[in-house]
Amino acid sequence: MNYEVALAGNPNTGKSSIFNALTKLNQHTGNWPGKTVSSARGQYLYNDIIYNVVDTPGAYSLIGFSEEEIIARDYICFNKPDIVLAVCDATTLERNLNFVFSVLDYHKKIIIVINMIDEAEKHGISINRFGLLYDLGIPIVYTNAKNNIGINELKEVIQKHINNEYDFPTIEIKYDQLTDKVNALKSKLTFTENKDLLAKRILDADESFFKSYYTYYPDEKINIEFIREMITTKANREYVIKTNYKVSKAIITRNVIYNKDSLENTKAVDKILTSKRYGIPVMFALLFLIFFITIKLANYPSELLFVSFNYIGEKIRILLVLLNLNSSIIAFLIDGVYLTLTNVISVMLPPMAIFFPLFTFLEDLGYLPRIAYNLDNVMKKCGCHGKQSLTMCMGFGCNATGVIGTRIIDSKRERLIAILTNTFVPCNGRFPLIFALASTFFVTFSSSFLNTIIPSLIATSIIIIGIIITLLISKFLASTILKGLPSTFTLELPPYRKPNIIRILYNSFINRTLMVLKRAVIVAIPAGAIIFILANLDINGIAITSHIGNFLDPFGRLIGLDGIIILAFLLALPANEIALPLMIMMYTMGGTLASNSLGGYQHILIDNGWTIFTAINVLLFSLLHFPCSTTLLTIYKETKSIKWTFVSFILPTITAIIVCLFTSFIFSFF
């Protein structure tokens, strides 16, 4: 015997944690049919019965304003799961209850799962459990899904409720102003079994509901549309929402006691972090602090890795010589493959191992939604969606993830703007170059403090430029090829939470640092081999890399770079992380990485004509140029369009060229 369990709830209620705790490894993901929103499905076995669990998209209501709301509503209403788990955040119960009431319109057999009960206790929130159960008349289970607390009880309650072992008088919200209208409409709906639901939806003029309804019940369209033509007002929807909020507030007032000090502390902090005057400056100050700590701490392990890898490399070289291996093969393995690989690790690993935990700390703390809140108004002025700021934050980890994250944007036009501009946020593949160049070309001061402050300011400035370019290009797109008005949306500011340091260190190192490093290593090995071969094969006595570099050099010089830099960025298309090591490799004699430190990088670059202005232009080009191949592939999968994938490649490339042309013109005066 199989039963189907639907998970539903607002975003950030821990719904996915409940899903993971129930299904563990028995799960898979995909997309909802014909939609870009992801679908998570799994199952678990309890008392020899299989329960299939479907995690519907997070939604603030089931009215049908967004794609997520439509998918969640249609699944609950038309797929008719055996039971619905309405997941609520214990710290924001009043808002979450409104969602529960909207679910009750479509499905009567539900269980309220009040998750993050540990967070409520930390914030001094006291819940009268029996009173809440009495007022709602719905089975309630309290959980802390991350620690697997309450999950076994939830499984038991699911089974009992499906078997009709609960007989509570479920709450029925009275909409006094609509009672007569609903009854009048029900008398006209003689051809359907869904009279009460249809009458309400006719009154609140929910167009998206009927669009879905007719796909399941096409024969009823003519009769329903005839009745709908007599209803001309949408004010009923506002009345229903207002009534739901009123009932929710009354229930919470009776049964939940909040710690006033905790609430006041949160409000006091948000007055600073989300204020018009201080919000954005604080945001950039925190970003600067992250870069300061990263650059300050990353240099030492980087130097240690350089020295260690070079020592190991020489020992391996001696071993290969003793094995009588051909000198050309030794050079290929050590000077080509090994040095490229170890230089990528030395440059990337330390800053990423420091940066990602710091960034994840802010994420766990609950600060990232505040960044979105601060940027929302600016986004709207640029003609794009406020949620684009959230996808920008995702882009700091990986642009491909940021592109996938644009699924949270309902408007196709605004989603496309977010996709096309996401690459202007530096991803984890671009940070190593930013940190390395900032740490080598801007450290000429005698003060070690200034030698950390200045590179940190440079790195922060690069981020600010990326955000400015994102806004400008978004404004350009919204005013030209993607015209339209910006949409409104509800942005939730979750409560601040105490970050779990162990989980942060584990997730940031395993799921971010090592994942990025693995991708860079996979690309670095063949790239190092190819560059070594091209640098050691010649035509008329000139290495092939030099021929290509010389061909690209006039264009490179025009925009403040050179041919080798352009070639390195082109070869780094699979992974931005390897761009700088490839430059160093092609600059050095014979295509080898003759460097054992970041300081060694600086000497090689200066010897090949770099100035501080070259470094600035390389930083800008790295920030603004075309996305990596993984991101391009993701864009194609999301848009299903070669045209928009090409635009996503050419738009940032042209932007990078124009910006570098402008800065080169300015630098020419110096």
PDB file of all heavy atoms in Angstrom, residues 648-665:
ATOM      1  N   SER A 648      24.245  36.080 -23.618  1.00  0.00           N
ATOM      2  CA  SER A 648      24.871  36.008 -22.289  1.00  0.00           C
ATOM      3  C   SER A 648      26.390  35.904 -22.385  1.00  0.00           C
ATOM      4  O   SER A 648      27.092  36.218 -21.423  1.00  0.00           O
ATOM      5  CB  SER A 648      24.312  34.822 -21.498  1.00  0.00           C
ATOM      6  OG  SER A 648      24.769  33.599 -22.037  1.00  0.00           O
ATOM      7  N   PHE A 649      26.892  35.453 -23.535  1.00  0.00           N
ATOM      8  CA  PHE A 649      28.346  35.405 -23.758  1.00  0.00           C
ATOM      9  C   PHE A 649      28.856  36.742 -24.285  1.00  0.00           C
ATOM     10  O   PHE A 649      29.853  37.281 -23.790  1.00  0.00           O
ATOM     11  CB  PHE A 649      28.692  34.297 -24.755  1.00  0.00           C
ATOM     12  CG  PHE A 649      30.149  34.223 -25.113  1.00  0.00           C
ATOM     13  CD1 PHE A 649      31.025  33.457 -24.355  1.00  0.00           C
ATOM     14  CD2 PHE A 649      30.670  34.930 -26.192  1.00  0.00           C
ATOM     15  CE1 PHE A 649      32.376  33.395 -24.664  1.00  0.00           C
ATOM     16  CE2 PHE A 649      32.015  34.881 -26.514  1.00  0.00           C
ATOM     17  CZ  PHE A 649      32.872  34.103 -25.745  1.00  0.00           C
ATOM     18  N   ILE A 650      28.175  37.288 -25.281  1.00  0.00           N
ATOM     19  CA  ILE A 650      28.694  38.476 -25.968  1.00  0.00           C
ATOM     20  C   ILE A 650      28.456  39.762 -25.174  1.00  0.00           C
ATOM     21  O   ILE A 650      29.266  40.695 -25.219  1.00  0.00           O
ATOM     22  CB  ILE A 650      28.073  38.586 -27.385  1.00  0.00           C
ATOM     23  CG1 ILE A 650      28.963  39.429 -28.296  1.00  0.00           C
ATOM     24  CG2 ILE A 650      26.666  39.131 -27.344  1.00  0.00           C
ATOM     25  CD1 ILE A 650      30.283  38.812 -28.633  1.00  0.00           C
ATOM     26  N   LEU A 651      27.332  39.833 -24.422  1.00  0.00           N
ATOM     27  CA  LEU A 651      27.015  41.058 -23.674  1.00  0.00           C
ATOM     28  C   LEU A 651      28.082  41.389 -22.629  1.00  0.00           C
ATOM     29  O   LEU A 651      28.601  42.517 -22.615  1.00  0.00           O
ATOM     30  CB  LEU A 651      25.636  40.932 -23.037  1.00  0.00           C
ATOM     31  CG  LEU A 651      25.165  42.119 -22.196  1.00  0.00           C
ATOM     32  CD1 LEU A 651      24.968  43.350 -23.062  1.00  0.00           C
ATOM     33  CD2 LEU A 651      23.857  41.790 -21.461  1.00  0.00           C
ATOM     34  N   PRO A 652      28.459  40.459 -21.729  1.00  0.00           N
ATOM     35  CA  PRO A 652      29.516  40.787 -20.761  1.00  0.00           C
ATOM     36  C   PRO A 652      30.872  40.997 -21.426  1.00  0.00           C
ATOM     37  O   PRO A 652      31.668  41.810 -20.944  1.00  0.00           O
ATOM     38  CB  PRO A 652      29.538  39.579 -19.821  1.00  0.00           C
ATOM     39  CG  PRO A 652      28.894  38.482 -20.573  1.00  0.00           C
ATOM     40  CD  PRO A 652      27.891  39.117 -21.480  1.00  0.00           C
ATOM     41  N   THR A 653      31.125  40.289 -22.527  1.00  0.00           N
ATOM     42  CA  THR A 653      32.408  40.452 -23.217  1.00  0.00           C
ATOM     43  C   THR A 653      32.538  41.858 -23.784  1.00  0.00           C
ATOM     44  O   THR A 653      33.581  42.514 -23.621  1.00  0.00           O
ATOM     45  CB  THR A 653      32.545  39.411 -24.345  1.00  0.00           C
ATOM     46  OG1 THR A 653      32.379  38.103 -23.796  1.00  0.00           O
ATOM     47  CG2 THR A 653      33.909  39.504 -25.007  1.00  0.00           C
ATOM     48  N   ILE A 654      31.479  42.340 -24.445  1.00  0.00           N
ATOM     49  CA  ILE A 654      31.497  43.710 -24.971  1.00  0.00           C
ATOM     50  C   ILE A 654      31.594  44.715 -23.834  1.00  0.00           C
ATOM     51  O   ILE A 654      32.309  45.723 -23.923  1.00  0.00           O
ATOM     52  CB  ILE A 654      30.226  43.964 -25.821  1.00  0.00           C
ATOM     53  CG1 ILE A 654      30.274  43.121 -27.098  1.00  0.00           C
ATOM     54  CG2 ILE A 654      30.087  45.444 -26.158  1.00  0.00           C
ATOM     55  CD1 ILE A 654      29.003  43.178 -27.913  1.00  0.00           C
ATOM     56  N   THR A 655      30.880  44.451 -22.745  1.00  0.00           N
ATOM     57  CA  THR A 655      30.945  45.337 -21.570  1.00  0.00           C
ATOM     58  C   THR A 655      32.373  45.413 -21.034  1.00  0.00           C
ATOM     59  O   THR A 655      32.879  46.504 -20.731  1.00  0.00           O
ATOM     60  CB  THR A 655      30.002  44.822 -20.462  1.00  0.00           C
ATOM     61  OG1 THR A 655      28.674  44.730 -20.974  1.00  0.00           O
ATOM     62  CG2 THR A 655      30.018  45.761 -19.264  1.00  0.00           C
ATOM     63  N   ALA A 656      33.034  44.249 -20.914  1.00  0.00           N
ATOM     64  CA  ALA A 656      34.416  44.209 -20.419  1.00  0.00           C
ATOM     65  C   ALA A 656      35.345  44.994 -21.337  1.00  0.00           C
ATOM     66  O   ALA A 656      36.215  45.750 -20.871  1.00  0.00           O
ATOM     67  CB  ALA A 656      34.886  42.764 -20.304  1.00  0.00           C
ATOM     68  N   ILE A 657      35.159  44.850 -22.652  1.00  0.00           N
ATOM     69  CA  ILE A 657      36.012  45.554 -23.622  1.00  0.00           C
ATOM     70  C   ILE A 657      35.802  47.062 -23.527  1.00  0.00           C
ATOM     71  O   ILE A 657      36.774  47.835 -23.503  1.00  0.00           O
ATOM     72  CB  ILE A 657      35.715  45.048 -25.056  1.00  0.00           C
ATOM     73  CG1 ILE A 657      36.190  43.602 -25.210  1.00  0.00           C
ATOM     74  CG2 ILE A 657      36.381  45.938 -26.100  1.00  0.00           C
ATOM     75  CD1 ILE A 657      35.737  42.929 -26.484  1.00  0.00           C
ATOM     76  N   ILE A 658      34.526  47.494 -23.434  1.00  0.00           N
ATOM     77  CA  ILE A 658      34.236  48.931 -23.353  1.00  0.00           C
ATOM     78  C   ILE A 658      34.822  49.536 -22.086  1.00  0.00           C
ATOM     79  O   ILE A 658      35.444  50.609 -22.108  1.00  0.00           O
ATOM     80  CB  ILE A 658      32.710  49.168 -23.411  1.00  0.00           C
ATOM     81  CG1 ILE A 658      32.174  48.818 -24.805  1.00  0.00           C
ATOM     82  CG2 ILE A 658      32.371  50.611 -23.052  1.00  0.00           C
ATOM     83  CD1 ILE A 658      30.665  48.851 -24.908  1.00  0.00           C
ATOM     84  N   VAL A 659      34.640  48.843 -20.943  1.00  0.00           N
ATOM     85  CA  VAL A 659      35.170  49.355 -19.670  1.00  0.00           C
ATOM     86  C   VAL A 659      36.688  49.434 -19.718  1.00  0.00           C
ATOM     87  O   VAL A 659      37.291  50.434 -19.290  1.00  0.00           O
ATOM     88  CB  VAL A 659      34.697  48.468 -18.492  1.00  0.00           C
ATOM     89  CG1 VAL A 659      35.445  48.837 -17.208  1.00  0.00           C
ATOM     90  CG2 VAL A 659      33.200  48.607 -18.280  1.00  0.00           C
ATOM     91  N   CYS A 660      37.343  48.392 -20.255  1.00  0.00           N
ATOM     92  CA  CYS A 660      38.803  48.398 -20.334  1.00  0.00           C
ATOM     93  C   CYS A 660      39.314  49.441 -21.322  1.00  0.00           C
ATOM     94  O   CYS A 660      40.380  50.043 -21.108  1.00  0.00           O
ATOM     95  CB  CYS A 660      39.316  47.007 -20.715  1.00  0.00           C
ATOM     96  SG  CYS A 660      39.170  45.798 -19.383  1.00  0.00           S
ATOM     97  N   LEU A 661      38.573  49.676 -22.411  1.00  0.00           N
ATOM     98  CA  LEU A 661      38.932  50.754 -23.340  1.00  0.00           C
ATOM     99  C   LEU A 661      38.888  52.103 -22.632  1.00  0.00           C
ATOM    100  O   LEU A 661      39.779  52.942 -22.791  1.00  0.00           O
ATOM    101  CB  LEU A 661      37.961  50.767 -24.529  1.00  0.00           C
ATOM    102  CG  LEU A 661      38.307  49.912 -25.747  1.00  0.00           C
ATOM    103  CD1 LEU A 661      37.142  49.889 -26.725  1.00  0.00           C
ATOM    104  CD2 LEU A 661      39.573  50.430 -26.430  1.00  0.00           C
ATOM    105  N   PHE A 662      37.833  52.300 -21.836  1.00  0.00           N
ATOM    106  CA  PHE A 662      37.668  53.558 -21.106  1.00  0.00           C
ATOM    107  C   PHE A 662      38.797  53.755 -20.095  1.00  0.00           C
ATOM    108  O   PHE A 662      39.397  54.841 -20.033  1.00  0.00           O
ATOM    109  CB  PHE A 662      36.309  53.563 -20.405  1.00  0.00           C
ATOM    110  CG  PHE A 662      36.080  54.764 -19.532  1.00  0.00           C
ATOM    111  CD1 PHE A 662      35.785  55.997 -20.087  1.00  0.00           C
ATOM    112  CD2 PHE A 662      36.177  54.661 -18.147  1.00  0.00           C
ATOM    113  CE1 PHE A 662      35.595  57.111 -19.278  1.00  0.00           C
ATOM    114  CE2 PHE A 662      35.980  55.763 -17.335  1.00  0.00           C
ATOM    115  CZ  PHE A 662      35.686  56.989 -17.902  1.00  0.00           C
ATOM    116  N   THR A 663      39.079  52.706 -19.310  1.00  0.00           N
ATOM    117  CA  THR A 663      40.144  52.845 -18.303  1.00  0.00           C
ATOM    118  C   THR A 663      41.507  53.026 -18.968  1.00  0.00           C
ATOM    119  O   THR A 663      42.346  53.774 -18.463  1.00  0.00           O
ATOM    120  CB  THR A 663      40.178  51.615 -17.382  1.00  0.00           C
ATOM    121  OG1 THR A 663      40.272  50.428 -18.166  1.00  0.00           O
ATOM    122  CG2 THR A 663      38.934  51.541 -16.519  1.00  0.00           C
ATOM    123  N   SER A 664      41.734  52.372 -20.110  1.00  0.00           N
ATOM    124  CA  SER A 664      43.013  52.540 -20.822  1.00  0.00           C
ATOM    125  C   SER A 664      43.178  53.973 -21.292  1.00  0.00           C
ATOM    126  O   SER A 664      44.273  54.539 -21.252  1.00  0.00           O
ATOM    127  CB  SER A 664      43.082  51.595 -22.025  1.00  0.00           C
ATOM    128  OG  SER A 664      43.114  50.263 -21.603  1.00  0.00           O
ATOM    129  N   PHE A 665      42.055  54.567 -21.742  1.00  0.00           N
ATOM    130  CA  PHE A 665      42.085  55.964 -22.166  1.00  0.00           C
ATOM    131  C   PHE A 665      42.442  56.873 -20.988  1.00  0.00           C
ATOM    132  O   PHE A 665      43.242  57.811 -21.114  1.00  0.00           O
ATOM    133  CB  PHE A 665      40.725  56.346 -22.742  1.00  0.00           C
ATOM    134  CG  PHE A 665      40.616  57.791 -23.147  1.00  0.00           C
ATOM    135  CD1 PHE A 665      41.222  58.252 -24.310  1.00  0.00           C
ATOM    136  CD2 PHE A 665      39.900  58.686 -22.363  1.00  0.00           C
ATOM    137  CE1 PHE A 665      41.125  59.593 -24.679  1.00  0.00           C
ATOM    138  CE2 PHE A 665      39.797  60.020 -22.720  1.00  0.00           C
ATOM    139  CZ  PHE A 665      40.409  60.476 -23.881  1.00  0.00           C
TER     140      PHE A 665
END
